[in-house]
Amino acid sequence: MTAAEGFPTPAELRSAFGELVCGAMEELWGVREDPAITEPRNPEFGDLASQVAMRLAGRLKRPPREIAEAILAETAGSMPWAESASVDGPGFINVTLTLPQLVSTACRLARRGLGSLLPDRSEGRTATVEYVSSNPTGPLTIGHCRQAVLGEAVSRMLEALGFSVHREYYFNDAGRQMELLGQSLAARYAEAAGTAGPELPEGGYRGGYMASWADELLQREGKGLRWPADAGTFAGFARERAMQTIRKDLSLLGIEFDRYFRESELLEGAVEEAIDRLRQAGEDLVYEDDEGKLWLRLSKLGRPEDRVIVRRNGMFTYRMPDIAYHLGKFRRGFDPIVDVFGSDHLDTSRDVRAALVAVLGEEEVDRRLRIILHQFVTLVRGGRKVKMSTRAGDFVTLRDLVEEVGSPDVVRYLFLTRRAEAQMDFDLDLAVKQSEENPVYYVQYAHARISGILGKAAEEGIEPPDWEPERLAALLDGEHERALLRHLEAVPLRLEAAAEALEPHRVTDMLAELATAFHAFYAHVRVIDAQSPEVSAARLLLCLSCRSALRGMLAVLGVDAPDRM
């Protein structure tokens, strides 16, 4: 048993408040509406609020304040966890929680950790998250770095809600890209060997890493390779060397995948099967033109134009393997199926989704498929943008970025401070600062400060107690204690909402706010007071709760929570 038993968790409390509001609506007017429960940002308006009166005003043709007052009167006496309740503004129903209720959440955080306050939403399901999925044509860039960090955070958020998560990396190891890669390496190899060879192809790969790979291939095979007779050797070497580089780069961020899925696996029958399923899904959905090309009639599925899916030479265009790959994910039983792509995949992702809807039905696809599109990244140094050109081979790699910043934690955290759909300016000058100006150090410093306080208290023989919330509440009734308790009460609810929305940037916002609240508390309150040992013990429990919340949220982002800095 813990001291917090007998009190509802934040999630249970929110649900209970919502049910009370819904019950009042049914009793008074015979209607049921989303109770629209939120947490007021301004503490003056309490800890929980319902906006349902504004939603009902048009339907009931009554002023929202009048509706809110009627609901509040109907629920009077049914909220033992409420210190007060009122109607404010145009019709908000605001509830202030009792101090023992707030303390009970702090007790759970301190003793059981943040995970104990999060519900299991998985129902035993396994989710799959596909991210990075860069073709093996060279090192990962900073754009891939953002996607790697975002995909890993999304995976961890799903795990926080109880899902088993299968991380998957899909890459193109067949088709035109591999031909260009092989020919690019062959051109560099011929230069290094001093032999005749092909020209660097239009759209080929010009980065300095190609020359390095050519030197490695020359040392391994000698000067005997020729183009195009050894095209497979060139393409195969470059592909495997690229994948080795990609895996090593991802390991810098501590990212590992459960499966690296090769596109070539789909060419063993899965793509043909997918085309057959599209044919069965609708008459004339797949058609052949006079030149022998096979088309998918996407215009019939709500998309702007039809797309070629098989060329005259029998090669598939990249959309068709993508469709087959996603049909395979549905067949493998994953739920949800999450894709993390760059914004340049917008049209492709919409075409693939349209094809999936044609085969599986809109309800099934909407229920299981989640697509996250992130915007591009701009590096900023000295207040100016760093110019890059991927085509010319002049770009900053993931490895370059992590090594320059000097900390994978900083790279992870800064990439997650912006919502995925927002353009990202990565400030290198800020990233290398080891001070509170750096957002991740500011949060980590709060965690380290608390660890120091707890360590000092332990040396003096003072430990966080396991007292009842009512007893603790009498010792934590100050203004700054309540402000911190209010932040802690909201953490599980806000983290659950962020995880359900798959929006890691919300977690960095929460971390910054909680760190600020703790620093303010520490600046105004003497935690360890030899003259007041019981008050000191209660405040230590509050400190332990904050550390637990900070550590839990940092873990969701894959960022370390150091005890010393």
Side-chain angles (χ1 to χ4, degrees):
M1 291 184 69
T2 69
E5 287 186 5
F7 290 83
T9 67
E12 292 168 343
L13 191 150
R14 181 172 179 151
S15 176
F17 181 38
E19 284 303 312
L20 284 173
V21 172
C22 288
M25 286 188 284
E26 289 184 339
E27 182 68 25
L28 292 166
W29 304 291
V31 299
R32 193 170 183 91
E33 177 69 56
D34 180 352
I37 308 300
T38 60
E39 293 78 45
R41 303 296 285 177
N42 187 339
E44 294 180 6
F45 295 119
D47 305 298
L48 285 175
S50 172
Q51 303 178 36
V52 73
M54 277 75 80
R55 296 189 177 200
L56 283 174
R59 188 172 173 184
L60 299 179
K61 295 181 170 53
R62 298 176 65 175
R65 269 193 78 92
E66 182 181 315
I67 294 170
E69 287 167 353
I71 291 173
L72 189 57
E74 183 68 23
T75 58
S78 301
M79 296 184 284
W81 26 262
E83 180 180 285
S84 64
S86 62
V87 174
D88 298 296
F92 292 100
I93 303 171
N94 291 324
V95 174
T96 298
L97 300 177
T98 66
L99 199 54
Q101 173 62 48
L102 293 174
V103 171
S104 72
T105 297
C107 290
R108 283 189 172 95
L109 279 167
R111 299 304 178 191
R112 294 185 178 180
L114 180 54
S116 69
L117 289 167
L118 295 174
D120 187 334
R121 299 296 188 200
S122 70
E123 298 178 342
R125 290 173 289 164
T126 297
T128 185
V129 183
E130 178 200 344
Y131 54 110
V132 185
S133 291
S134 172
N135 289 333
T137 55
L140 297 177
T141 67
I142 59 168
H144 299 128
C145 186
R146 183 180 194 186
Q147 188 172 140
V149 167
L150 179 60
E152 180 62 20
V154 164
S155 300
R156 288 169 177 259
M157 294 178 97
L158 287 168
E159 287 172 336
L161 294 184
F163 287 90
S164 174
V165 177
H166 175 87
R167 294 161 170 83
E168 198 151 285
Y169 184 122
Y170 171 85
F171 66 92
N172 180 339
D173 65 335
R176 179 61 177 161
Q177 293 294 330
M178 289 300 101
E179 290 180 7
L180 288 173
L181 184 68
Q183 189 173 345
S184 299
L185 180 60
R188 294 292 193 183
Y189 168 87
E191 290 176 10
T195 59
E199 295 291 326
L200 194 65
E202 183 178 352
Y205 299 94
R206 302 173 181 274
Y209 61 90
M210 294 299 298
S212 174
W213 294 354
D215 288 339
E216 290 180 33
L217 184 59
L218 181 61
Q219 291 178 14
R220 193 185 80 175
E221 300 289 343
K223 298 183 178 182
L225 296 179
R226 295 292 182 269
W227 179 269
D230 297 305
T233 299
F234 287 114
F237 179 88
R239 179 181 63 243
E240 295 308 316
R241 188 66 182 84
M243 285 309 302
Q244 289 173 13
T245 302
I246 287 169
R247 288 177 190 244
K248 287 181 180 178
D249 288 352
L250 289 170
S251 70
L252 294 174
L253 295 170
I255 292 175
E256 295 182 359
F257 286 90
D258 296 295
R259 183 177 183 183
Y260 285 84
F261 193 107
R262 295 172 178 262
E263 183 190 37
S264 58
E265 295 180 44
L266 299 169
L267 304 184
E268 299 169 0
V271 177
E272 289 84 352
E273 179 186 341
I275 293 174
D276 287 342
R277 295 185 71 180
L278 286 166
R279 284 194 173 104
Q280 295 165 15
E283 187 177 352
D284 297 329
L285 201 55
V286 177
Y287 64 95
E288 186 173 340
D289 66 13
D290 295 338
E291 298 178 352
K293 292 181 289 188
L294 208 60
W295 291 72
L296 178 58
R297 202 181 300 277
L298 285 162
S299 57
K300 189 177 180 180
L301 304 176
R303 298 294 297 138
E305 58 182 328
D306 298 348
R307 300 282 186 179
V308 175
I309 54 175
V310 184
R311 298 187 180 96
R312 282 183 300 176
N313 61 4
M315 291 187 67
F316 302 109
T317 62
Y318 62 87
R319 274 176 175 77
M320 198 55 239
D322 279 356
I323 294 168
Y325 175 51
H326 280 80
L327 285 171
K329 290 184 190 180
F330 277 86
R331 185 170 55 249
R332 284 187 276 163
F334 295 122
D335 184 9
I337 296 165
V338 183
D339 292 336
V340 184
F341 298 141
S343 58
D344 54 334
H345 281 65
L346 175 62
D347 282 340
T348 302
S349 64
R350 288 179 174 175
D351 287 349
V352 171
R353 183 191 175 280
L356 293 174
V357 168
V359 174
L360 302 170
E362 191 162 16
E363 182 179 348
E364 180 75 0
V365 174
D366 283 347
R367 185 177 66 82
R368 292 171 62 183
L369 181 64
R370 306 277 297 273
I371 298 174
I372 300 170
L373 297 172
H374 69 85
Q375 287 294 334
F376 296 105
V377 182
T378 300
L379 279 185
V380 177
R381 182 186 284 116
R384 295 185 177 183
K385 294 181 179 180
V386 178
K387 294 182 178 180
M388 293 180 288
S389 171
T390 304
R391 181 172 292 276
D394 179 19
F395 56 87
V396 177
T397 67
L398 180 156
R399 180 173 291 274
D400 293 335
L401 181 64
V402 174
E403 289 179 349
E404 178 167 347
V405 171
S407 166
D409 280 345
V410 173
V411 172
R412 278 183 183 269
Y413 195 95
L414 290 183
F415 270 126
L416 296 173
T417 55
R418 298 276 287 171
R419 66 169 55 245
E421 300 83 0
Q423 175 72 30
M424 176 82 195
D425 286 345
F426 192 98
D427 189 336
L428 284 165
D429 298 321
L430 176 64
V432 298
K433 285 185 177 179
Q434 296 186 19
S435 70
E436 291 186 24
E437 292 180 68
N438 189 322
V440 66
Y441 285 123
Y442 181 74
V443 171
Q444 288 179 323
Y445 178 61
H447 184 276
R449 169 177 268 181
I450 297 170
S451 295
I453 293 168
L454 293 168
K456 181 180 178 182
E459 291 174 1
E460 297 182 14
I462 309 174
E463 297 286 346
D466 192 18
W467 297 335
E468 296 298 321
E470 292 87 352
R471 180 180 178 184
L472 288 163
L475 302 167
L476 297 172
D477 60 351
E479 172 190 353
H480 300 291
E481 286 92 338
R482 183 178 181 100
L484 196 50
L485 284 165
R486 185 176 183 274
H487 273 283
L488 293 170
E489 176 75 20
V491 164
L493 293 171
R494 293 178 64 190
L495 180 56
E496 179 188 351
E500 289 181 336
L502 304 182
E503 293 186 341
H505 73 276
R506 296 196 202 179
V507 185
T508 61
D509 290 343
M510 293 163 60
L511 281 162
E513 291 168 15
L514 181 56
T516 298
F518 177 78
H519 289 313
F521 163 80
Y522 185 74
H524 291 92
V525 172
R526 188 174 182 181
V527 176
I528 303 175
D529 186 349
Q531 305 302 315
S532 304
E534 286 199 348
V535 172
S536 296
R539 288 173 177 168
L540 281 174
L541 182 131
L542 190 51
C543 290
L544 182 59
S545 302
C546 285
R547 188 177 73 167
S548 180
L550 290 169
R551 179 176 292 176
M553 287 189 285
L554 285 169
V556 167
L557 303 182
V559 175
D560 286 340
D563 289 329
R564 293 183 179 181
M565 291 186 72

